[in-house]
Amino acid sequence: LEVIKQKAHSLKGSSANIGIFELANFFENLEKEAIDKNWLGIGEAISEITGRFKQIKMVIEKHYENGKEKSNG
């Protein structure tokens, strides 16, 4: 649980630093669930983070592909 708490705290800060505040909030929730030793809450938080991360990844990939298309003419 301590490792989950530490990683969640670190990722919360990293997410906030790059402006993805919604993801930072999910990591904050994960950190709180780890502090509370709430395994069900940890599982739910990880599911939320995974879903949101997939959405963010798709947006980044789409943005990257659009940028490549524009640079290629």
Side-chain angles (χ1 to χ4, degrees):
L1 285 173
E2 186 61 30
V3 171
I4 294 171
K5 184 182 81 159
Q6 290 172 355
K7 296 297 181 186
H9 182 81
S10 176
L11 290 166
K12 174 182 71 175
S14 297
S15 297
N17 285 340
I18 61 171
I20 307 175
F21 299 106
E22 183 181 4
L23 195 57
N25 289 336
F26 286 132
F27 283 118
E28 181 177 23
N29 184 45
L30 176 58
E31 183 182 13
K32 287 178 183 176
E33 297 297 357
I35 290 168
D36 292 344
K37 300 178 182 172
N38 180 356
W39 287 103
L40 181 60
I42 289 169
E44 290 171 355
I46 289 172
S47 291
E48 289 175 339
I49 290 165
T50 301
R52 187 63 181 133
F53 183 76
K54 286 178 183 177
Q55 292 173 341
I56 292 166
K57 182 178 179 235
M58 287 184 345
V59 168
I60 291 170
E61 287 173 346
K62 184 177 179 182
H63 179 75
Y64 173 75
E65 287 301 318
N66 286 342
K68 271 178 61 175
E69 289 172 10
K70 288 179 183 176
S71 67
N72 288 334

